[in-house]
Amino acid sequence: MIARSLRLVVYLRRQDDHLVSHYQQRVRVGETRRLTEWAREPDLSDTYDYYFQLRTWERLLEPHEFVVRRFERHRFVDGSLFQDFLDAAGIDARAGDMAQVPSRNLSLDAETVEFLRIFNLYRVENETARVGLIDNRSLVRRLAEHSTGSVLTLPTPFLDRFMAQWEEANRAVARRYLRDATEELFQVPRKTDNTTTEQHLDPDRLDHFLTLLDLPEQTHAPLRALVEREARARGA
């Protein structure tokens, strides 16, 4: 027995916002499907049924305190996720007094995500790389510095249907864990500013990425063939 009590802190993010963000994370480790195909997973309840997940952790871990918070920036203590976590964990410390680290959750725009997806295809088809085991961290850091376009998302009707699956579970979370009489788990609407549903890389834009990443000459021709193939498939 190391501790006498356990305080469990959990942050919950809107399922639709997390879904499209999670796709970016999957592309960074080798995903080769477009977002619209990847999002058709048969059952995501293990991830997004928050009430079931919280009840399971409560039963298995039996925490003395269970702190559930919404991942909504306007709710963070002092506007800081770090300070909010310290508050939720009951730690008497100031985040501003601690050494700051750079964010590792770098966001990429839709065009850049599509380039990275196609580069994953190149590595799978030409270098016997395995989906899910590709390390693109160094590329992502360089790409993020020049990624200023719209962020990829899914069509509104799809996301509406997706969120409808979790309505009852979300209400149950609000009632049981947040004591919220409105039974409204998330009050901030999904992100729509500077977003696009177009996942496309114009073949004429490939040179931009080849130069930006200083990719070896031997990758240029097969990458161009892949970009043109994917552009044709998208337009088919």
Side-chain angles (χ1 to χ4, degrees):
M1 184 74 174
I2 299 176
R4 291 188 298 272
S5 64
L6 169 66
R7 177 183 296 197
L8 184 60
V9 177
V10 177
Y11 282 88
L12 301 178
R13 185 178 181 184
R14 278 188 64 109
Q15 288 96 332
D16 48 2
D17 282 342
H18 184 272
L19 180 70
V20 294
S21 176
H22 185 53
Y23 174 71
Q24 279 206 24
Q25 304 306 316
R26 300 311 303 166
V27 172
R28 295 178 193 191
V29 294
E31 179 58 57
T32 59
R33 292 170 293 177
R34 286 192 174 89
L35 174 58
T36 51
E37 179 184 1
W38 173 84
R40 297 192 200 107
E41 293 290 342
D43 184 6
L44 292 170
S45 58
D46 283 348
T47 300
Y48 294 122
D49 186 337
Y50 292 157
Y51 186 71
F52 173 79
Q53 293 292 345
L54 294 176
R55 292 287 285 154
T56 299
W57 296 339
E58 190 174 27
R59 184 181 72 255
L60 295 178
L61 299 176
E62 298 182 339
H64 289 79
E65 294 182 77
F66 201 173
V67 183
V68 177
R69 296 203 171 181
R70 301 168 172 99
F71 190 87
E72 295 179 336
R73 297 189 182 280
H74 76 282
R75 297 180 182 276
F76 296 161
V77 174
D78 296 339
S80 164
L81 175 58
F82 299 112
Q83 190 61 54
D84 196 82
F85 174 77
L86 292 171
D87 179 77
I91 299 173
D92 185 15
R94 300 299 303 170
D97 297 334
M98 301 178 181
Q100 301 297 305
V101 296
S103 173
R104 297 191 178 187
N105 187 24
L106 302 173
S107 181
L108 303 177
D109 62 30
E111 181 189 58
T112 305
V113 168
E114 179 63 356
F115 166 78
L116 196 58
R117 181 189 74 84
I118 294 174
F119 190 63
N120 290 337
L121 274 173
Y122 164 80
R123 297 192 63 182
V124 168
E125 296 182 8
N126 295 274
E127 299 178 353
T128 66
R130 296 177 61 187
V131 172
L133 298 177
I134 297 176
D135 185 353
N136 284 318
R137 284 176 295 182
S138 61
L139 295 182
V140 168
R141 285 193 292 270
R142 297 173 67 180
L143 289 168
E145 294 175 359
H146 300 269
S147 182
T148 58
S150 299
V151 178
L152 186 63
T153 190
L154 286 157
T156 296
F158 180 98
L159 293 176
D160 286 344
R161 291 192 300 271
F162 180 75
M163 285 301 290
Q165 298 177 77
W166 321 116
E167 283 182 0
E168 183 52 42
N170 285 356
R171 285 196 292 268
V173 170
R175 286 194 306 267
R176 179 180 178 88
Y177 294 100
L178 298 172
R179 303 293 189 267
D180 190 330
T182 70
E183 298 188 354
E184 187 176 6
L185 179 56
F186 300 111
Q187 297 176 351
V188 174
R190 78 170 60 107
K191 295 179 181 178
T192 57
D193 292 342
N194 194 34
T195 60
T196 180
T197 59
E198 295 295 318
Q199 186 169 354
H200 174 63
L201 175 61
D202 189 320
D204 291 340
R205 287 281 292 161
L206 177 60
D207 287 340
H208 162 74
F209 291 100
L210 296 177
T211 301
L212 176 62
L213 299 176
D214 194 24
L215 294 177
E217 183 71 30
Q218 63 267 25
T219 68
H220 294 193
L223 263 175
R224 189 171 302 281
L226 273 173
V227 171
E228 292 172 350
R229 185 187 80 187
E230 293 299 297
R232 288 194 302 270
R234 177 179 175 276

